Every structure is written in C-alpha cells, then in structure tokens.
Amino acid sequence: MPLKKPAPHAPPPAEANAEMAQLAASFVEESRKLLEEAGEALLALERDPDDGQAMGALFRAVHSIKGAAGLFDLPALVHLVHAGEDLLGAMREGRLRMDSGAADALFEGLDHVGRWVELFAAQGSLPPELMETARRYAAIYRARLAGLEGAEGAPAPAAAAVRHAWADAAGLPEGAPLVTIEYTPDESCFFSGDDPLRIAQSLPGLVWSELAPREPWAAPEAFDPYVCNLVFRLVSEAPHSEVEAHFRYMPDAVTIGLRESEPAPDPEAPKAPTGPLSPLAVELIEAQRRALAEHPRGGAHVAATLRNVAAALGLPVPPEEPAAAIAALLATAPPASEPEPLAIAEGSATRSDTPAERTLRVEQAKIDTLMNLVGEMVVAKNALPFLARDAEARFGSRELAREIKDKYAVIDRITRQLQSAVMEVRMMPVGDLFKRFPRLVRDIARKQDKLVRLEIEGEATEADKNVIEALAEPLTHILRNSLDHGIESREARLAAGKPETACVRLAAAQEADRVVIDVTDDGRGVDPARVRAKAIERGLIDEARAAQLTDAQAVQLVFLPGFSTAETVSDLSGRGVGMDAVRSVVERLGGTVTLESRCGEGTHVRLELPLSMAVTRVLTIDLGGQAYGIPIDLVIETVKVDPADIRRLKSAEAIVLRDAVIPIARLRSLLGMEPHPAKLESVLILRLGHATIGLVIDDFGTCMDIILKPFAGILAHMSGFSGSAVLGDGRVLLVLNLKEML
Amino acid sequence: MPIRYDKTRAVVEGHAAVEEAGDLAAWLIAGAARKVDLAACTGMHAAVLQCLMALTPHVTAAPQDETLARWLAPVLVLPEDPPPAKPARRRRKVAA
C-alpha cells in the first residue's frame, strides 16, 4: 500500500489553506478530548467489561477520531484507529470480551494516536515510518479478531445466528449466501443529518428491498414528519463485511443476518453495481460526507480530502473536480441518490437547528493576555489617586482632584468586576486534572501486580487553571509514592488482615479561599524508624537530632531534598526526588503540604493551595527607603519593640512576647545592608510552616492587592524574591520569599 | 424550490430535501383533497417519503425516474394502477 502519493496540488487559494489550518487545529483539539474520553471509557470497561455505556462511548470516541482524521493526510493514524475500531466493534456486539490484555493493547494504541496527534499538531504531518507501528498494532488487534473469526474476512459465526423471519417469506431467490438486513433508523436520525432512504438505496449489492412504517401512522393531526417511523428490510448479495461497513455509522439501528440460498436476481428489485471500493474506503467516504455536511462551505476541502483518502488506500489519485470525484467514488448508489456534495450539505442543514451547547473554546494564551491586561489596568487605575493628589498639591485645583477621584471610583468598580470575570473564566474543575489518574493508578498497579481501587471525590471543586496545571506533577508523585511504597503486595495485605484490594482516595474540596486536596491510602504507612535510619544514612540529619524527633516529626523527613526510602530505584519512584519536589512545587504556588502517617494503617497527604494566584495580598514594608512586599498570609502581627527588650542568646536574638520566646532575624542583615539603629524596632511576627519568627524591618507600610509577576529572563533565578509588582505611582515593589530566606 | 404548491396540488421537482417535509406535511394536513405530482421528482429524503406514506395524498403522476418509482411503488399508490385511486383519498393506517 503506497503511503502517500505526491498529489498533484493545484495551487489552492489562500483562503482554503487558512481554512484547512483551522480544520487541522480543531481536529487536534477534538482528538485530544476524544482520546481522553476513550481512555476513561476503556478504564471503566476494564473494571466492568459489561458496561455497555462505556463500550458505546469508547467506540464513538475512536470512531469520531477516525472520521475526523480522514480529512487529513494521516494514513498511519487512520489505519491504526480503524483496526482498533474493528476490535471494539466485535466487543460491542458481544463477540469478544474485553480483558486486560486487550485493554493493554488498546491503551498502547491510544497512546500512539495521542502522540501522533501531537506530532501532527506540531509539524502538520506524520513521518511515513509510523505506518510500521500502525501495522504492528493493527496486526495485534486483527489477531484477536482472527482468533474469534477464524480466517480474515470470513463471516462472523455470531452474525450468522441472526435470522430474519421475513427473509424466508419474501420469496427470495435461492443461491449464494445473501445478507439480510433489518434497518430501523433512530427516531431522531433526521436531526443528525441521516437520510435512511438514501442509505438503504446505496447499500452495496442490493437485490431486494421492502419499506414499511415501524408503527402504524398516527392521525394526520398528530403526524410529525421529523420523527422517523420507517423500517427497511434489505437483502444484499455483497459480502457480509461490506454490508457491515455500510451501516457502520448506525450499528444500533441494524441487525444483519445471513441467508444461505440460491441466487436468481429479482428483476423487480433495484440493482446496484457493486463498487470497486473496500469497506474502509466506503466508510471513509461516508465520514467525509458527514464532515462536509457539517461545514456548509466545505466544498473547498473536498479535493484535498479525496486525495488523502485515495492516497491512504493506494487508489489512483482522483481528478481535481471534487464533485465528480465524490460522485465517482459513491457510484455504488442508484441514481436516485444525491450525487453532489453540495446537495448533501443542503440536505443536512437542519443540523445547525438542533440545540447545541453554548460554549466557546478559547485558547489559554488569549485568556492569559486578557488577565495580563486586566493586571495592567489595575496598575494604571491605581495611578489615579496619585494624580488626584498631584492635582491638588501641585496645581492647587481641588475641584479637579475631586473629579479625578470620582472617575477613579467608577473605573475601580469596573476593573474589579472585570477582574473577577476573567478569574472566573480561568477557573477550572479539578476533575480535569483528576481524569488522568485512574489510568496512572491502573498502569502502576498492574505493573506491580497490586490490586488498587482509586476513589475520586470533589471533582467539581474549582481553582485557577495555573494552580490546577501546576498540581499535575506533585499529585502524580504522591500517587506513585503511595502505590510504590505505601500499598503492600497482595500477599502482605492479606497477611496483615486487610482487604486484598487497596484503596487510594483522591479528594478535593474548597475551604475558604483555598483548595484542599487529600490523598489517602490504606497501605503500610511511613515507618518512622526506617525514615530516621535512612535520613541518617544519607547524611541529612545527625543521630542525636534524629533521636529527639517525635514519630510525627520523623515522618516529615521525607520532604528533605535527596531523601528516598526505596531500596532500589524503580522506574516508578524512588529516584530521591519525590516528596521534596512535591513540596517545592506546592510552596511555589503559595500552598502547603502536610503528611500524616499511621504505621500499618496508611498515609494521608494534604495539599492546600490558594484558589487563584492572580492577585496576592501583601503587606508593604519599608527598608532603606525601598518598598518590599510580604505575603499577608505569613504575617501574624506587627509589634514595635524597644531595642533593650531584644535578648541576645549567643549569636541569635530573640524577644519575649506574651511569655513566648520568639527568635528574630534582621532583614537588613539578610539582605546585606548596613544595620540601622532605631528608637523602636519594628518587628513582624511571621508564621513559616510550624515555626514562629520575628523579622526586624525599618517600618511598616500598608496592605495592598498586587498582581505578582514572577521574575523572567536573567532575573528568573534570583533567590530570596518571589516576584515583583508595579505600584500605582510607577514604583516597583519586590516581594520577598521569606521561606527561602529564613 | 423542489416543491411547488398549487391550489390543491404539490409538484415535487428534483430532489426533495429534509426541510421540505415539514411544509409538505402541514400543507397536506390542511386539505384532505390535496394531491401530489411526482413526475419530475428524482429523489426524496426519507422524511418526505414518510409524509407521503403517512398522509396518503392522491399521487397524480408517478416519478419518471425509474429507480425512484421502483422504490415508491410498494409503499405509495402510484397512478399506473388506476383502481386504488379512490381508496388513496382515505387515510389508511398502514401503507400497503
């Protein structure tokens, strides 16, 4: 099969090119979504092979990917998906059962398709050698099918069991095997652009037909012309597989039977020439027809599509005129069918009338731009009070100052609303993130031969997209740790009197302005003694200190950089980056991570994160005439202290505040500035993790909301600061990262 | 416009698409004696066919298109067979 023929491209108009690019973009987007759905459905199926709904969803998703892929020059992708679809089709009809082997093969296939879609998105084409991979998987799928059907192409024995009683009464000619079809179109099929009559008329090898109402016609007043009430009984002399291919889009609506009898073509019946097309081609063209019907102006793509289809099938490249080419390819139909794609587009115009979900897909970059603009708007708006002050102080116009303030109030209100609207757009449910974990847990559990049930709760909890996305890595780490180290082997679980199937719970909830994610497992928990030993062995802590730690504190040692309890480095976790990486990501997002463990009973990891990172509330402080910001959630209180009350304990300083000794640090010395003696020291009491600490500064400022911008470019690696913000008067506020400094 | 409506006769020309079905049904229901001329009809959507099957209007001319005529003959009363012209005016529950 030639992969791709250098199609003689007539220079297409620029508009068509742009349209094609748009189509490609939406294909990529859609395929990603469909692949996700397919993955979910496959997981559900693996758990319960009788889940008809999941089967349907999986089949539909795979089928849609194939249909859409036909628009582009992606022979490998189409080939692979087609083979997968055949396998799924057999499973759906109950001829084959889903087992974990088949699920593995299908999962791998889906992964390949996912990679290829990304490749296509990046490069606009796929390297031809991928066809090899596609063939390999197709062979795997076909082998499973072949085990079922015997020889390739042989009629399925199960299908032969369907016998239509009417076929015996129809006075059919005896002879070679005939395929009997009972086609009952879905009641609402007119709304999805189907024309059952044309589908019936274009059946390959049609030798006999009968048409009847499914139920007696309603009274004329109650008659609804758009509820399909027809049933078609058809007999074809084409091979079973070809007939099945013809009705592939409405498998629920047809039953296909086999009748062994002598043929003598009925002269009365419409006779259709059997087309030279393989079932795959018929199907692809049908997919194209549908795709065209969805794009009323789709005529422009027809030529390109046809070339691709033909190239994928190794057929001669069709002529340039799309209408003629389609007509030639669909020539299996009797002349009553619509020969032109444009007519088809008209025929399904009602499609757009069906109510559709009113959502808009927007690229994230556009929302980010909007968010940035809103941020700048906030900054620009904050300049107005300064302007008002200037108007009064420098130009002596109190009236002007008042008017500016009035306008400021209006702009301020609008900006706030704008900001919250944009933030709302950026919110997304954590469910989108959680979706990927069932597959992860399944794969790891299978690899380690453990039985694990993943329970997910609170998928609807919403948080900023950036927060959700940044959480993917840490949560993956945590889950991997749980499965790898936490969950015991099946034997160990049974020996410990636990159920064989372990349970990992992933729950999200909103608490005030924070989102809380809990990962709980019922595994062996973290062994404090082992953690202590390991930490000492790795030189992270000395023996004396390790002995002082309580068990709960010892468990926290897993967060230290370079800590790993795994005896061997597995490909799952245990590279010594796990929990340390989790903590650093979560803290960068302004969140906290806590770990509780009960030895033998399980581990509980809790992530707490701000709902949105867009606006940060900071307390400004003054230091040597420069303003700095400190995240307000760290600040417990502000106090002024007489320098004489600061006690020196060797090199460390501390104050006593309400009978508690609080160690203090001087920001000036931390930043390498000259000491600045003051009559009263201004001390910020901060909470960092579980420690309370005092920070001596020059003076306190005010609280304000800022849009924190992380440093970029050459400043990106500057430590001690988490970012900067522009103040209303144009000054730059540096926001301190105290966790890093202290 | 594939369907042209006279006073008591609808003339179907070319291919009658799915959108026509609503109008045709409404028009046929509005008057019991209304007729349909299919002579120039080359094809019809299943929804249109349904209208003709359910509301059984008198068909004054069969399609000249042979394939279509062959498909319609068993389910509609086409004028080539003169006797069923009368019963066609009555609405039958099930088409033959």
Side-chain angles (χ1 to χ4, degrees):
Chain A
M1 175 149 47
L3 294 179
K4 190 176 155 188
K5 285 204 176 146
H9 265 282
E15 190 190 329
N17 261 346
E19 233 169 80
M20 209 61 199
Q22 225 173 19
L23 268 183
S26 61
F27 160 68
V28 169
E29 184 113 334
E30 218 176 280
S31 300
R32 283 188 193 136
K33 224 184 121 219
L34 288 167
L35 282 168
E36 212 169 82
E37 280 169 21
E40 270 173 47
L42 191 48
L43 270 178
L45 265 181
E46 201 190 15
R47 273 197 304 274
D48 175 15
D50 298 319
D51 188 341
Q53 211 173 352
M55 188 72 237
L58 177 57
F59 189 84
R60 262 195 309 280
V62 169
H63 183 77
S64 310
I65 294 173
K66 187 182 67 172
L71 269 174
F72 308 97
D73 188 14
L74 302 170
L77 201 153
V78 172
H79 191 71
L80 172 56
V81 177
H82 178 69
E85 192 188 5
D86 281 346
L87 182 61
L88 290 174
M91 288 176 177
R92 184 153 95 152
E93 286 162 29
R95 288 189 279 137
L96 205 63
R97 247 181 108 73
M98 176 71 78
D99 54 39
S100 44
D104 277 343
L106 287 167
F107 265 129
E108 280 172 35
L110 282 180
D111 287 346
H112 277 293
V113 172
R115 271 198 292 280
W116 294 349
V117 166
E118 295 310 318
L119 210 61
F120 174 68
Q123 304 173 356
S125 64
L126 291 181
E129 57 269 20
L130 291 184
M131 198 65 192
E132 270 316 300
T133 319
R135 285 219 186 83
R136 208 173 63 236
Y137 279 95
I140 295 173
Y141 299 156
R142 294 254 149 81
R144 285 189 172 269
L145 269 179
L148 169 87
E149 287 185 6
E152 169 111 0
V162 179
R163 233 188 130 76
H164 294 122
W166 49 262
D168 300 324
L172 281 175
E174 302 293 304
L178 291 173
V179 183
T180 60
I181 303 114
E182 184 156 306
Y183 171 34
T184 316
D186 188 70
E187 276 196 357
S188 58
C189 70
F190 295 158
F191 291 102
S192 50
D194 282 347
D195 181 352
L197 179 58
R198 206 177 47 71
I199 291 166
Q201 284 174 334
S202 59
L203 178 71
L206 184 64
V207 291
W208 184 88
S209 70
E210 189 185 72
L211 174 57
R214 196 183 316 170
E215 280 162 29
W217 297 108
E221 299 74 33
F223 172 67
D224 182 348
Y226 291 118
V227 171
C228 186
N229 186 29
L230 296 172
V231 49
F232 294 83
R233 293 182 187 126
L234 308 163
V235 178
S236 165
E237 57 185 6
H240 184 275
S241 59
E242 213 166 305
V243 172
E244 208 162 349
H246 184 75
F247 287 105
R248 190 168 280 280
Y249 286 92
M250 51 295 278
D252 299 331
V254 275
T255 54
I256 300 177
L258 211 59
R259 194 187 136 89
E260 314 273 348
S261 54
E262 296 291 318
D266 186 349
E268 280 300 301
K271 251 183 37 194
T274 314
L277 299 178
S278 71
L280 175 62
V282 171
E283 199 182 324
L284 275 174
I285 295 166
E286 183 67 22
Q288 301 323 312
R289 188 189 67 73
R290 282 165 173 261
L292 285 170
E294 274 174 34
H295 296 270
R297 296 187 304 125
H301 318 307
V302 175
T305 304
L306 272 177
R307 272 198 301 277
N308 293 338
V309 171
L313 285 163
L315 292 177
V317 172
E320 285 300 300
E321 295 81 23
I326 280 258
L329 282 169
L330 281 176
T332 50
S337 73
E338 299 143 295
E340 298 219 358
L342 288 179
I344 295 163
E346 274 169 23
S348 59
T350 41
R351 203 169 233 227
S352 53
D353 296 338
T354 52
E357 211 181 319
R358 304 284 290 171
T359 54
L360 195 59
R361 281 192 187 183
V362 184
E363 262 173 70
Q364 200 199 337
K366 290 182 183 166
I367 300 288
D368 287 346
T369 311
L370 197 57
M371 191 70 211
N372 282 341
L373 288 173
V374 171
E376 279 172 38
M377 184 79 180
V378 171
V379 172
K381 167 208 78 172
N382 285 342
L384 286 179
F386 290 95
L387 185 65
R389 201 183 56 201
D390 267 11
E392 193 172 338
R394 274 171 55 197
F395 304 104
S397 172
R398 177 166 293 183
E399 203 159 311
L400 182 61
R402 209 185 54 233
E403 259 180 49
I404 293 174
K405 277 182 191 158
D406 279 354
K407 288 282 173 289
Y408 168 73
V410 175
I411 296 174
D412 186 49
R413 182 174 52 82
I414 297 173
T415 319
R416 270 173 207 283
Q417 285 175 357
L418 190 61
Q419 197 177 350
S420 60
V422 176
M423 302 248 271
E424 207 141 290
V425 172
R426 290 176 54 91
M427 296 296 246
M428 65 184 238
V430 289
D432 288 8
L433 169 67
F434 286 1
K435 264 188 216 156
R436 69 179 75 185
F437 295 126
R439 169 80 193 275
L440 178 87
V441 169
R442 168 202 178 271
D443 283 359
I444 298 175
R446 264 184 72 75
K447 213 173 269 179
Q448 306 201 337
D449 194 27
K450 291 175 180 173
L451 290 175
V452 181
R453 187 176 72 243
L454 178 69
E455 285 177 6
I456 292 184
E457 273 173 38
E459 292 117 307
T461 311
E462 287 196 328
D464 189 272
K465 193 169 178 1
N466 285 349
V467 175
I468 298 274
E469 278 171 359
L471 272 180
E473 283 267 300
L475 277 178
T476 309
H477 269 306
I478 294 172
L479 282 171
R480 283 190 166 172
N481 272 328
S482 252
L483 287 161
D484 204 12
H485 309 312
I487 306 288
E488 312 91 328
S489 66
R490 277 147 76 168
E491 301 76 39
R493 284 187 70 86
L494 289 174
K498 293 184 185 181
E500 192 179 10
T501 303
C503 174
V504 176
R505 215 171 123 258
L506 185 59
Q510 189 179 335
E511 278 177 17
D513 61 343
R514 293 171 90 75
V515 51
V516 179
I517 298 179
D518 289 302
V519 185
T520 322
D521 69 53
D522 63 351
R524 63 168 79 93
V526 181
D527 180 355
R530 244 178 100 216
V531 170
R532 277 198 195 96
K534 208 77 182 177
I536 296 167
E537 182 194 314
R538 306 243 156 173
L540 300 169
I541 187 172
D542 56 52
E543 249 171 271
R545 262 193 78 191
Q548 283 170 7
L549 294 175
T550 62
D551 281 358
Q553 283 170 329
V555 166
Q556 308 301 321
L557 292 174
V558 297
F559 287 115
L560 288 177
F563 185 93
S564 175
T565 47
E567 302 297 336
T568 53
V569 170
S570 70
D571 74 329
L572 296 172
S573 53
R575 290 196 195 87
V577 292
M579 294 311 278
D580 161 42
V582 168
R583 187 165 70 168
S584 67
V585 170
V586 172
E587 289 188 349
R588 203 176 58 234
L589 293 172
T592 55
V593 48
T594 51
L595 186 145
E596 282 168 36
S597 162
R598 281 202 220 159
C599 205
E601 285 175 38
T603 315
H604 173 198
V605 180
R606 162 170 284 214
L607 307 181
E608 269 186 57
L609 292 135
L611 279 183
S612 161
M613 302 189 299
V615 172
T616 317
R617 196 160 176 79
V618 294
L619 175 72
T620 61
I621 55 164
D622 182 67
L623 198 73
Q626 160 80 45
Y628 294 91
I630 288 175
I632 196 84
D633 49 351
L634 297 179
V635 179
I636 302 173
E637 62 178 317
T638 57
V639 287
K640 294 257 184 188
V641 187
D642 191 323
D645 289 344
I646 296 179
R647 318 266 175 98
R648 293 196 70 88
L649 308 160
K650 292 187 182 164
S651 64
E653 291 178 304
I655 54 169
V656 178
L657 191 67
R658 288 190 287 275
D659 298 333
V661 178
I662 298 172
I664 61 170
R666 291 176 186 270
L667 189 55
R668 274 183 171 263
S669 55
L670 287 173
L671 292 178
M673 294 178 176
E674 291 294 311
H676 170 79
K679 274 188 207 147
L680 274 179
E681 300 276 22
S682 306
V683 182
L684 274 177
I685 309 295
L686 306 168
R687 177 172 293 280
L688 294 176
H690 294 292
T692 308
I693 190 164
L695 188 69
V696 180
I697 54 172
D698 284 7
D699 205 356
F700 308 115
T702 55
C703 281
M704 61 169 75
D705 287 329
I706 55 154
I707 311 272
L708 183 64
K709 295 263 166 72
F711 289 120
I714 53 166
L715 293 177
H717 301 293
M718 197 155 77
S719 59
F721 298 96
S722 47
S724 66
V726 180
L727 298 182
D729 56 357
R731 281 189 301 156
V732 172
L733 181 79
L734 292 172
V735 178
L736 299 169
N737 184 346
L738 291 171
K739 282 180 186 153
E740 210 172 290
M741 284 172 121
L742 295 170
Chain B
M1 192 62 183
I3 304 187
R4 206 175 64 234
Y5 297 101
D6 293 349
K7 241 183 169 171
T8 59
R9 194 178 58 140
V11 182
V12 185
E13 286 164 353
H15 183 91
V18 62
E19 309 88 83
E20 312 285 348
D23 289 346
L24 181 63
W27 186 81
L28 287 175
I29 290 166
R34 295 189 164 173
K35 298 172 206 136
V36 177
D37 179 346
L38 298 176
C41 178
T42 56
M44 60 175 69
H45 192 278
V48 177
L49 174 62
Q50 247 192 186
C51 290
L52 298 179
M53 284 170 72
L55 304 171
T56 60
H58 177 53
V59 180
T60 58
Q64 280 160 12
D65 186 299
E66 280 182 26
T67 321
L68 182 64
R70 244 197 329 262
W71 273 86
L72 297 189
V75 287
L76 297 180
V77 185
L78 298 181
E80 266 78 1
D81 319 338
K86 260 185 224 159
R89 213 164 292 148
R90 272 203 200 150
R91 272 165 222 116
R92 290 173 305 171
K93 277 286 172 194
V94 183

